[in-house]
Amino acid sequence: VQLQASGGGLVQVGGSLRLSCAASRPFFKFEMLQFGILGWYRQAPGQQREMVASMATGDTTNYIDSVKGRFVMSRDDVKNILTLEMNDLKVEDTAVYYCSVRDYGGKDFWGRGTLVTVSS
């Protein structure tokens, strides 16, 4: 599956951005997720990639503590996109953001990231 994240850009502290991730295969079909885990990750300069938000069966979503209450991950099955709504952005949110899916066999698929820069 091919993934493509978009929507990054330059925003001031406290601002908002909405990231989107399009896929070459449906995320949801036959009333079930076609992948085990859907996720948004980010990698800041000089740091390891970290999972920011994830969605699994039953549309259960999880977030890292630093973005709870500010970021919302959702899925649009009509448009077949994942979104990450990011509000009240902070300088430390600056990173390249990636969407990823893991199939039920445990294989991970990654798309090109989109850069988010939060300026003070």
Side-chain angles (χ1 to χ4, degrees), residues 33-85:
L33 276 179
Q34 297 299 297
F35 302 95
I37 299 175
L38 314 176
W40 282 99
Y41 292 73
R42 68 185 179 187
Q43 187 167 19
Q47 297 187 22
Q48 291 187 334
R49 191 174 296 185
E50 62 176 353
M51 177 179 274
V52 175
S54 64
M55 178 184 290
T57 302
D59 291 348
T60 303
T61 53
N62 290 287
Y63 304 90
I64 56 172
D65 287 345
S66 61
V67 307
K68 283 181 180 177
R70 300 189 297 121
F71 289 14
V72 178
M73 179 179 180
S74 61
R75 195 183 73 242
D76 185 324
D77 295 328
V78 175
K79 297 179 180 179
N80 195 45
I81 58 172
L82 293 176
T83 61
L84 185 68
E85 189 78 34

Side-chain angles (χ1 to χ4, degrees), residues 1-58:
V1 59
Q2 294 180 325
L3 303 167
Q4 179 63 60
S6 61
L10 175 64
V11 64
Q12 290 188 327
V13 169
S16 298
L17 280 175
R18 186 176 190 178
L19 305 184
S20 295
C21 175
S24 59
R25 283 169 42 191
F27 292 117
F28 191 84
K29 192 176 180 181
F30 304 127
E31 300 185 359
M32 65 177 288
L33 276 179
Q34 297 299 297
F35 302 95
I37 299 175
L38 314 176
W40 282 99
Y41 292 73
R42 68 185 179 187
Q43 187 167 19
Q47 297 187 22
Q48 291 187 334
R49 191 174 296 185
E50 62 176 353
M51 177 179 274
V52 175
S54 64
M55 178 184 290
T57 302

